[in-house]
Amino acid sequence: MDSTKVEILSAKHPRPENITYTYGTAGFRMKYVDLKLSSKSRSQLINDSTFGQITELVSDSYIIAQKRAELLDSVIFRVGLLAVLRSKAQNGKYIGVMITASHNAEPDNGVKLVEPLGEMLAQSWEAYGTELANATSVAGFIAAISTIKLKEGIDWSVPARVVVGRDTRPSGPALLESCKDGVEALDGELTDIGLVTTPQLHYVVRSLNTQGTKEEYGVPTVEGYYDKLATAFAKIVKGKSKPSPVTLDTANGIGAPAIKDFLKVLGPDVLDVKIVNDDTETRGKLNHDCGADFVKLYQKKPSGVEMVPGEKYASFDGDADRLVYYYTDAENKFHLLDGDKIATLAASFIMHLVREANLEITQPNGTKSPFHVGLVQTAYANGSSTAYVKETLKVPVVFTPTGVKHLHHEAEHFDVGVYFEANGHGTVLFSKAALAAFNSANGTTDAEKEAIETLKGLSEVINQAVGDALSDMLLVESVLAWRSWSPAQWDEAYTDLPSRQEKVKVANRHIFKPIKADTELAEPDGLQEKIFAAASQYPHGRAFVRPSGTEDIVRVYAEADTRENTDELAFTICGIIFDHYGGVGERPAKYL
């Protein structure tokens, strides 16, 4: 390591004072700059060269500015260093760096690392990222680099390869330069693949690392990604009725150019998509009153969409890794088809195909066993979806803490593991044994042959590296085409219980200790018993409380048989927390 080079490049990216960074499930994520005008007047800010280029005046209350040395600059420089170290520790495999804040508002940004097979960063390395980001001096993080090298047994002569992509946020270009400097500081090789969806970055990383192996995943380019998905989707729906048109809200994000480029490859005769909210140029529009997170949170249509009863609608989020569907009925009532609905649709279809194909898994000792299909959910999954999967589909359900890395890991234990968060982020994983069964089977009847070929197609159209809105949309459209279902027919499988999510501001979020996959609290003493008691007052009552990972709030989830009971349960628990467990600020009137 050339310490002098590291020190020189680090000087371009000084760490701001009085900020503590944490590498969490979403990597590092925070507001790039969010400056209240109460501290300085508008004219003072505009004329203050410290704040660099003013990119947008959002309202009388806020100015969103770009200041390269503020908040994220030093973090992403050090993430570049971390990516080099991780690549060396993985014997020179490609490591991905994605600069995005996903469904967050446009002023936010963030960064996360991607492992060689497209997985989230290993949890043990999250601590290294946090340590590097919080080192208060150059000497401190150089010492941290040396410690990581020693602990991981890194051979400095091994080359390091890093692939970086970003979404459409205006702060992206400057942060990209920060990353480049970090990679250069430790003499890593950097490949910039430009503006991409988060799932495309994961796909490219996995494809680069599996080239020339038995597990080769695809051509390691964005064009290769489009070709793979288009070929597989066309194969699955061949001979079926053309799917009904879908109106797609792309959240004014990177998903807009991605779906447009994909449809050029797919061709006009396979799928009709009307794209709305596709403005990636006008500042302030990204995820604003649109996108998957908006639709899920507010249970209503996004801006820019005029809904026609019975027709099909879908939304991506800002980096196109979340997907939800929705429709209105004849009475113009809005119906959401979220991650739970997508998961149950996928699980039921795959179970049908596995049974129709009459396939078995060959174990290492040569014995045969049935396919083990499972569904992985979090505490936020609607109780009706869990009951439907267990009692109707007869598919086992496993719960994990919130966070894709937990779901992905648990899904790997099944031959076919389906995982989706209720927010629409998820995918399907196929084990090596399952893929071998698909590829070795021939089938003896036409029905068996068709089911086998469809399973092969699904394993190609589904992005197994990570949740992928475009890929998941093709999965949904495949199933609907096969079954000739409208969105309303899809929705008939089960009826969601009414649910509500709330936030309570507290003095110290760290006193709340979740257990049992976030469904209960071990601490503070007595709170869980009060939650149980409140939920027991309502038919199908269920509630849980979990702390935020980034700010002093706790999140409250409640569901029950009616909207009135659900709201009452949620606000009762909010009141208990506020009154007895450190609520701060003015007590909201809605709390009971």
Side-chain angles (χ1 to χ4, degrees):
M1 176 175 61
D2 185 343
S3 297
T4 301
K5 185 177 182 180
V6 173
E7 187 169 353
I8 291 171
L9 287 170
S10 175
K12 296 169 58 179
H13 311 280
R15 184 187 184 281
E17 297 179 357
N18 302 320
I19 296 178
T20 300
Y21 300 102
T22 302
Y23 194 110
T25 300
F28 292 109
R29 186 177 296 179
M30 64 195 309
K31 287 192 179 298
Y32 192 64
V33 177
D34 198 353
L35 304 164
K36 288 190 177 180
L37 288 180
S38 58
S39 61
K40 286 193 175 186
S41 71
R42 180 188 298 271
S43 61
Q44 283 177 312
L45 282 171
I46 292 174
N47 294 322
D48 187 345
S49 60
T50 304
F51 290 99
Q53 178 188 2
I54 300 295
T55 60
E56 184 183 3
L57 302 182
V58 175
S59 69
D60 288 338
S61 300
Y62 289 89
I63 286 180
I64 296 173
Q66 286 196 15
K67 179 187 175 188
R68 291 204 64 231
E70 189 73 29
L71 301 184
L72 282 169
D73 179 38
S74 68
V75 174
I76 295 188
F77 169 75
R78 297 177 190 198
V79 165
L81 301 172
L82 185 67
V84 171
L85 293 170
R86 184 59 177 160
S87 177
K88 288 179 179 291
Q90 294 289 299
N91 296 315
K93 291 186 180 296
Y94 288 89
I95 296 296
V97 177
M98 186 66 199
I99 301 171
T100 182
S102 188
H103 58 281
N104 285 30
E106 187 175 284
D108 298 9
N109 216 328
V111 64
K112 65 177 181 179
L113 292 188
V114 176
E115 292 277 76
L117 292 182
E119 322 99 302
M120 301 298 185
L121 180 65
Q123 195 162 0
S124 59
W125 277 71
E126 292 179 5
Y128 293 150
T130 299
E131 182 181 3
L132 281 174
N134 289 307
T136 56
S137 66
V138 176
F141 77 73
I142 287 178
I145 291 171
S146 298
T147 299
I148 295 169
K149 176 181 181 297
L150 183 64
K151 284 184 177 179
E152 298 296 328
I154 293 172
D155 180 351
W156 216 253
S157 67
V158 173
R161 301 178 177 90
V162 179
V163 183
V164 62
R166 61 183 175 89
D167 68 12
T168 56
R169 295 167 194 273
S171 54
L175 297 177
L176 172 63
E177 295 305 314
S178 306
C179 179
K180 287 181 177 179
D181 282 350
V183 174
E184 181 185 347
L186 292 182
D187 298 320
E189 171 193 316
L190 185 137
T191 301
D192 176 12
I193 61 173
L195 291 168
V196 292
T197 69
T198 293
Q200 287 173 339
L201 186 279
H202 284 251
Y203 166 88
V204 169
V205 170
R206 181 166 179 158
S207 297
L208 284 168
N209 286 310
T210 56
Q211 274 186 304
T213 71
K214 292 180 180 179
E215 288 79 36
E216 187 164 323
Y217 194 60
V219 177
T221 63
V222 172
E223 293 75 20
Y225 166 89
Y226 293 138
D227 286 338
K228 179 178 181 178
L229 267 59
T231 300
F233 180 69
K235 176 181 178 181
I236 293 170
V237 300
K238 184 178 180 181
K240 306 300 178 185
S241 298
K242 185 178 181 180
S244 62
V246 57
T247 297
L248 176 64
D249 155 37
T250 57
N252 297 309
I254 187 61
I259 187 64
K260 291 174 184 177
D261 289 342
F262 169 76
L263 291 173
K264 292 175 185 175
V265 176
L266 182 64
D269 299 328
V270 185
L271 182 66
D272 289 331
V273 181
K274 178 186 176 182
I275 303 167
V276 297
N277 292 328
D278 59 346
D279 183 355
T280 60
E281 300 297 326
T282 303
R283 294 287 170 80
K285 284 198 169 185
L286 177 64
N287 291 322
H288 181 65
D289 290 343
C290 61
D293 200 57
F294 174 87
V295 175
K296 169 64 177 173
L297 184 61
Y298 295 104
Q299 304 266 321
K300 66 179 183 180
K301 70 180 183 67
S303 64
V305 174
E306 295 302 323
M307 298 185 68
V308 176
E311 293 192 1
K312 191 167 53 182
Y313 299 83
S315 288
F316 291 174
D317 69 337
D319 67 334
D321 67 355
R322 293 185 181 189
L323 171 75
V324 296
Y325 273 73
Y326 42 98
Y327 71 98
T328 55
D329 59 25
E331 285 74 42
N332 280 315
K333 181 182 177 182
F334 181 88
H335 296 264
L336 176 67
L337 299 161
D338 62 5
D340 293 340
K341 289 284 187 177
I342 296 172
T344 54
L345 181 76
S348 64
F349 185 56
I350 290 169
M351 282 294 294
H352 164 75
L353 291 175
V354 166
R355 290 165 179 158
E356 193 74 16
N358 196 28
L359 292 178
E360 292 181 312
I361 290 289
T362 301
Q363 300 296 336
N365 63 5
T367 61
K368 302 283 188 178
S369 64
F371 260 75
H372 192 199
V373 179
L375 179 65
V376 186
Q377 294 184 317
T378 72
Y380 287 102
N382 194 276
S384 288
S385 73
T386 306
Y388 171 73
V389 173
K390 287 182 175 180
E391 297 167 12
T392 302
L393 299 183
K394 307 299 183 184
V395 170
V397 177
V398 176
F399 281 89
T400 73
T402 302
V404 173
K405 63 184 177 184
H406 301 298
L407 287 98
H408 193 98
H409 175 72
E410 197 64 40
E412 291 177 327
H413 296 156
F414 295 99
D415 297 315
V416 182
V418 181
Y419 76 83
F420 274 85
E421 294 183 290
N423 61 28
H425 191 174
T427 190
V428 181
L429 303 184
F430 297 89
S431 70
K432 291 181 181 179
L435 294 175
F438 300 161
N439 292 323
S440 62
N442 296 313
T444 57
T445 68
D446 288 344
E448 287 181 358
K449 292 175 182 178
E450 184 179 40
I452 291 166
E453 289 303 309
T454 303
L455 286 166
K456 290 180 184 177
L458 287 177
S459 71
E460 293 290 313
V461 86
I462 294 169
N463 188 342
Q464 295 181 60
V466 72
D468 181 339
L470 199 164
S471 166
D472 290 339
M473 184 181 79
L474 298 178
L475 166 62
V476 169
E477 295 298 329
S478 296
V479 181
L480 297 183
W482 256 72
R483 292 184 163 169
S484 299
W485 276 1
S486 67
Q489 289 171 306
W490 168 16
D491 199 20
E492 287 173 357
Y494 65 89
T495 301
D496 278 330
L497 290 168
S499 65
R500 176 172 286 279
Q501 297 184 44
E502 291 290 328
K503 300 176 183 178
V504 182
K505 293 182 180 180
V506 293
N508 181 10
R509 70 183 185 276
H510 298 293
I511 69 171
F512 299 86
K513 307 292 185 184
I515 57 173
K516 298 183 179 179
D518 293 341
T519 60
E520 296 181 18
L521 289 173
E523 297 178 11
D525 289 342
L527 177 54
Q528 186 57 54
E529 287 70 23
K530 293 174 183 176
I531 295 171
F532 282 146
S536 68
Q537 301 302 307
Y538 305 97
H540 302 293
R542 181 174 75 93
F544 65 89
V545 174
R546 54 183 293 270
S548 166
T550 58
E551 54 187 322
D552 278 326
I553 63 171
V554 293
R555 306 183 191 280
V556 175
Y557 177 93
E559 63 183 39
D561 60 329
T562 67
R563 168 54 57 196
E564 181 181 5
N565 284 345
T566 297
D567 292 349
E568 191 172 292
L569 174 58
F571 295 140
T572 296
I573 293 172
C574 288
I576 291 170
I577 294 167
F578 190 93
D579 295 339
H580 304 290
Y581 298 95
V584 298
E586 183 177 350
R587 191 184 196 275
K590 63 186 179 182
Y591 290 0
L592 300 176

